[in-house]
Amino acid sequence: MSKISAIIAGIAFVTLAAANVVAMLEASQPSRSITARTRLIALHRVGGYLFVSLLCIMAYSMSQRLVSVGITGHLPTHLVLHIVLVLVLVPLLFLKILIARRYKQSHSSLKALGIAIFVISFVLVSIPTFSELLRSMNPESLGLRVATGLLVAVCLVQGALVFKKRNQSRASAKPSRIPEIPAPPTSLTNRENAKDPMNLLLAQTERQTHDTKTLRFQVPKERRFRAKPGQFLTFQWTIDGRRVTRSYTISSSPIHEDYVEITPKRIENGCASLFLNERAKPSLIVEASGPYGQFYFDEKVHKSIVLIAAGSGITPMISMLRYIDDLKLTTPVTLLYCVRTRADIIFQNELERLGSSLPNFKYEVCLSRPDPTWKGHSGRLSVEFVSQHLIDRNSPPTFFLCGPRGFMENARQILSTLGINQDRILQESFGENKPFPDSRPPEARTVEAVVFLRSEKVCRISPGSTLLDVAERNGVQIPFGCRQGQCGTCATRVLSGTVQMDVEAGLTAEQKNAGYVLPCVSRAEGTVVLSA
C-alpha cells in the first residue's frame, strides 16, 4: 500500500470510528423518533461493517510491512506499539459485536466500547503518521513548526470547547423553554404499599394511525425504571384544571430505562384520550406510578406464546415483541391481530420490521371490514382462524389476550373449544368498569354506608356501586389502575365490616391476611369502615 493510500485509509478508518460513535449516541437520545432511531442503528451497523473491512485491509498491509522489516532484522518501536494497539482493538471489536448481537440488555456498555475503539483507532493511525512526519522533517524546517503549531491550536480549541461546555452545563440550571423534571412530590398517595410516583417529561409524539398516537416520556435520570413487557403505568393527568387518573400500557421495550412510551387510542367523549391525541405537546410533565399488572411475558416461564389482540390491545403485545427483539430471544411467537379496517392497524411498520428481524415470529392481521384490495384474512376471530396457527396441540403455548371484553370472551371460548387449559390463558383489559348486579330483593337489602376514616366522610351507597365509585363521587382520593382487580393499585384496608370482592388477583397473600380489599371490584354488605 502506497503512502498516499495509507493516509487515505487511515483518515477513513478514524472517520468511520467517529461516525459510529456519533450515530450510537444520537440513537440513544430519548427525543429521537422510532423511525429516526431505526435509521441511525442501521447506519451504525453499516459503518461497523465498513470499519471491520478496512481494519482487515490495514492489518494485511501491516503484515506485509512486517515481512519486509523482518528480512532486515530491524523492528521500530512505533511499529511494535502499532501491533499492540491492533491486538487490543480486535478483541474490543469482537466484544462490541457480541453484545450488540446477543446481549442487548447490556447496551449501555456499547457507548464506552465505541468510544474506546475510536480512541485506539485514532492513536493507531496517528503513530505511523507522526513518526513518518518527524523522521522526514528537519527539526528547523517550517513544515515541522507549522505542524507543531496546528497540534497546539487543536489542543487549545478542544480545551476551549470543554470549558464552554462546562459553563453551559452550569447555565442550564437556569429556567429554560423546556422545564426540567422536578422531583416527585413529598406527599404520596394514601395507599400504604404504593410504588413511589415519578414525574415524566413528554419528549416527543409520533402519529401511528388516524386515531392513535405514541407518546415518549423521558424518565428522570435518578430513577432506575424497571418494568416487564406487558405491564402498565397509572398517570395523574391535569386536564383543564381537573385531575384525571388513567392507566396506559407501556408500548416500548422495558430494556430502555431512560424513556417509556404509551400509545393511547382516541375515544369519542374520552377526556384523557382526546387530550393525549390532540393537545399533549412536548415539555408536558405528568406524574406516573407503577409499573403494575400480572399480564406480562417472562422468557423463563413462557417458552412459546400466541398473542391475540384487537384494536389498541396491540400495545402490550408490541412491548413483548420489542423486548424479544432487543434480547434476541428465540421464543416462538405468533400474533393474531384483529382490527376493523386497514387504516386501523397500529404499529404496521413496526410489525413489518419485527417480521423480518425475528426469525421465530409470524403474524396475521384480520380485518372485519376489508377493502376490495385486501388479500389477507377477513371477518371476525374464529375457531378456524385460531386453530391453523396453533404451534403444537400436544404442548400448546401460553396465550395472551388483550382487547375489548366481548372480544376476549369470544377468544377464551374459542381456545376452550380447541382444548386449551384455562391456566395457559392470560388476559388484560382497561377501563371497563361494569356495576355489580345485585340480585337481592329490595326487602333483603340492609342500609349500606361506607366510613372513610382518614378522609372523615360517611357516605351512603347506591345499589350496585363499588367502593371506588363511592369514593370518587364523594371526593375521597383512592389511587386506581386497571379497575379490573388485577393491578392492586387501589388496595385499601378494611377496618370493620364485610366486603364482597368479585376478583382478588391484585392482592398479595400478605395483603389478604392484613384485611386489604380492592375497592374497584368490591361492594359493601352493611356498613364498612375503610382506612382511606
Side-chain angles (χ1 to χ4, degrees):
M1 184 182 289
S2 65
K3 288 186 178 181
I4 298 297
S5 300
I7 291 173
I8 294 174
I11 293 173
F13 191 65
V14 175
T15 303
L16 280 173
N20 284 343
V21 172
V22 171
M24 183 168 49
L25 294 175
E26 288 295 322
S28 64
Q29 293 295 323
S31 58
R32 291 288 177 188
S33 66
I34 298 172
T35 303
R37 181 173 173 270
T38 302
R39 290 175 179 174
L40 285 167
I41 292 174
L43 180 64
H44 177 265
R45 186 177 292 114
V46 172
Y49 292 145
L50 292 174
F51 182 85
V52 172
S53 301
L54 195 53
L55 176 63
C56 293
I57 295 173
M58 293 175 68
Y60 174 77
S61 176
M62 186 178 67
S63 66
Q64 295 299 106
R65 289 185 63 191
L66 286 174
V67 171
S68 63
V69 171
I71 296 174
T72 63
H74 177 66
L75 198 62
T77 304
H78 77 269
L79 195 54
V80 174
L81 185 57
H82 208 216
I83 296 171
V84 171
L85 288 174
V86 171
L87 293 177
V88 172
L89 186 60
V90 170
L92 285 179
L93 278 171
F94 177 78
L95 181 61
K96 185 172 183 289
I97 294 171
L98 185 64
I99 292 175
R101 289 288 182 182
R102 301 285 298 176
Y103 303 102
K104 288 195 174 183
Q105 68 271 30
S106 303
H107 69 283
S108 58
S109 60
L110 293 177
K111 298 178 184 177
L113 283 172
I115 294 172
I117 290 170
F118 166 71
V119 171
I120 294 173
S121 303
F122 182 80
V123 176
L124 188 64
V125 172
S126 300
I127 285 176
T129 303
F130 280 101
S131 177
E132 286 291 332
L133 184 66
L134 292 173
R135 190 169 56 178
S136 62
M137 284 188 172
N138 188 328
E140 300 297 328
S141 66
L142 178 62
L144 183 58
R145 292 177 180 178
V146 172
T148 304
L150 287 174
L151 181 61
V152 173
V154 169
C155 293
L156 290 175
V157 170
Q158 185 65 32
L161 290 174
V162 172
F163 181 75
K164 182 179 179 181
K165 185 68 176 178
R166 289 183 63 185
N167 287 342
Q168 288 177 345
S169 299
R170 292 173 182 174
S172 63
K174 298 178 181 179
S176 59
R177 184 175 64 86
I178 298 179
E180 293 185 1
I181 303 176
T186 54
S187 58
L188 301 181
T189 62
N190 63 350
R191 177 173 171 251
E192 290 86 348
N193 63 333
K195 296 185 179 181
D196 292 344
M198 56 184 170
N199 284 9
L200 302 178
L201 173 67
L202 180 58
Q204 72 155 84
T205 63
E206 181 178 6
R207 177 63 61 186
Q208 294 291 344
T209 67
H210 61 98
D211 60 355
T212 311
K213 180 183 287 187
T214 292
L215 292 84
R216 175 177 290 188
F217 294 90
Q218 181 182 341
V219 177
K221 293 181 179 179
E222 67 275 6
R223 178 71 174 256
R224 290 184 62 83
F225 179 71
R226 296 290 178 86
K228 296 178 181 179
Q231 290 187 307
F232 63 91
L233 294 174
T234 298
F235 296 84
Q236 301 292 337
W237 309 102
T238 301
I239 304 175
D240 298 328
R242 185 165 62 95
R243 192 174 177 87
V244 178
T245 304
R246 292 291 186 274
S247 295
Y248 290 99
T249 304
I250 299 168
S251 56
S252 54
S253 168
I255 288 296
H256 304 288
E257 298 179 355
D258 55 343
Y259 70 85
V260 62
E261 293 177 345
I262 61 172
T263 307
K265 181 182 178 68
R266 186 177 67 244
I267 301 174
E268 294 303 323
N269 302 320
C271 175
S273 67
L274 288 174
F275 171 78
L276 296 177
N277 271 272
E278 299 175 2
R279 296 164 54 188
K281 304 294 181 184
S283 79
L284 170 71
I285 296 175
V286 62
E287 180 186 302
S289 60
Y292 301 114
Q294 304 300 317
F295 181 84
Y296 58 81
F297 166 71
D298 185 347
E299 66 271 24
K300 297 177 182 178
V301 177
H302 309 124
K303 303 304 181 182
S304 173
I305 60 175
V306 172
L307 313 175
I308 303 179
S312 59
I314 189 66
T315 50
M317 313 308 192
I318 205 71
S319 178
M320 298 178 193
L321 291 171
R322 285 170 166 169
Y323 176 81
I324 292 171
D325 184 45
D326 281 341
L327 296 185
K328 298 301 177 186
L329 302 178
T330 58
T331 308
V333 186
T334 299
L335 169 65
L336 306 180
Y337 184 28
C338 300
V339 292
R340 285 179 294 181
T341 68
R342 195 196 299 259
D344 296 311
I345 302 175
I346 307 173
F347 300 115
Q348 184 172 11
N349 294 335
E350 182 72 348
L351 288 173
E352 292 176 358
R353 183 190 72 80
L354 291 167
S356 59
S357 176
L358 293 174
N360 296 325
F361 169 56
K362 61 178 181 178
Y363 73 98
E364 296 288 346
V365 177
C366 183
L367 303 185
S368 60
R369 300 177 187 175
D371 57 77
T373 62
W374 177 253
K375 297 181 180 180
H377 292 273
S378 60
R380 299 190 179 277
L381 193 70
S382 64
V383 174
E384 294 74 22
F385 181 47
V386 175
S387 63
Q388 64 182 326
H389 295 289
L390 287 184
I391 300 173
D392 188 349
R393 295 294 184 89
N394 297 322
S395 179
T398 300
F399 291 82
F400 290 84
L401 316 180
C402 192
R405 182 181 294 273
F407 171 84
M408 290 193 297
E409 290 176 352
N410 180 43
R412 269 190 171 273
Q413 186 175 1
I414 289 172
L415 294 176
S416 178
T417 301
L418 294 173
I420 306 300
N421 293 332
Q422 294 297 305
D423 57 0
R424 284 190 171 270
I425 304 174
L426 302 175
Q427 69 180 55
E428 185 76 292
S429 63
F430 299 129
E432 299 180 45
N433 184 30
K434 297 184 177 181
F436 286 95
D438 193 344
S439 57
R440 295 174 298 171
E443 60 273 11
R445 299 174 189 169
T446 60
V447 177
E448 297 168 342
V450 179
V451 178
F452 297 101
L453 190 63
R454 189 174 302 168
S455 302
E456 299 181 349
K457 291 187 177 182
V458 179
C459 310
R460 295 290 296 270
I461 302 176
S462 56
S465 295
T466 65
L467 296 177
L468 183 58
D469 292 334
V470 179
E472 288 179 320
R473 283 197 297 265
N474 292 275
V476 177
Q477 294 296 322
I478 296 180
F480 64 90
C482 64
R483 302 193 77 117
Q484 301 293 314
Q486 301 291 330
C487 69
T489 307
C490 65
T492 305
R493 192 174 185 181
V494 176
L495 302 178
S496 68
T498 303
V499 171
Q500 176 188 344
M501 266 195 304
D502 186 56
V503 177
E504 56 181 30
L507 292 176
T508 65
E510 293 78 9
Q511 288 175 321
K512 294 175 184 177
N513 294 333
Y516 282 83
V517 297
L518 300 168
C520 67
V521 290
S522 301
R523 61 174 178 171
E525 294 186 347
T527 298
V528 172
V529 179
L530 299 181
S531 61

